[in-house]
């Protein structure tokens, strides 16, 4: 069974196979948008809150996309991550 995206005829377009052209500049603009950055910040804050005290959040814009980061900021939080994997286990809170 073929998937909806496979086309048996690579040379011919008269067979009804879809031709898709991606707007890469549009994707880049969307990934760097303030709305995406705000969503990443909300998700990162939920992760940090679920991981417990001593975690910091930062959202920055990279060359092609917005980036959300959560890290341990105190010795206690680092110890808790090393022994209990508190930050690792909190990743699902960002969904």
């Amino acid at each position: 069974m073929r998937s909806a995206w496979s086309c048996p005829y690579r040379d011919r377009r008269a067979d009804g196979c879809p031709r898709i052209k991606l707007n890469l500049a549009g994707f880049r603009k969307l990934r760097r948008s303030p709305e995406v950055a705000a969503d990443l910040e909300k998700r990162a804050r939920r992760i940090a809150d679920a991981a417990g005290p001593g975690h910091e959040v930062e959202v920055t814009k990279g060359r092609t996309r917005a980036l959300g980061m959560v890290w341990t900021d105190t010795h206690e939080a680092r110890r808790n991550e090393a022994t209990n994997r508190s930050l690792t286990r909190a990743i699902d809170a960002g969904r």
Side-chain angles (χ1 to χ4, degrees), residues 9-78:
Y9 308 107
R10 301 270 181 222
D11 305 344
R12 299 178 353 194
R13 291 293 145 194
D15 62 355
C17 293
R19 176 172 282 182
I20 299 171
K21 183 175 179 184
L22 301 176
N23 181 350
L24 297 180
F27 282 130
R28 188 174 297 115
K29 184 177 177 183
L30 177 67
R31 289 190 309 249
R32 289 181 50 97
S33 71
E35 294 84 6
V36 169
D39 182 59
L40 286 173
E41 182 159 4
K42 284 194 296 190
R43 291 170 185 263
R45 293 232 179 264
R46 286 198 312 254
I47 292 169
D49 291 343
H55 293 84
E56 289 292 319
V57 172
E58 183 180 351
V59 175
T60 62
K61 286 188 180 176
R63 189 170 49 90
T64 60
R65 65 191 64 179
L67 306 165
M69 296 171 275
V70 180
W71 68 91
T72 56
D73 196 42
T74 64
H75 178 70
E76 292 80 17
R78 284 190 283 279

Side-chain angles (χ1 to χ4, degrees), residues 73-89:
D73 196 42
T74 64
H75 178 70
E76 292 80 17
R78 284 190 283 279
R79 186 174 344 135
N80 196 18
E81 171 61 16
T83 57
N84 300 323
R85 308 303 288 168
S86 59
L87 182 55
T88 304
R89 292 174 194 245

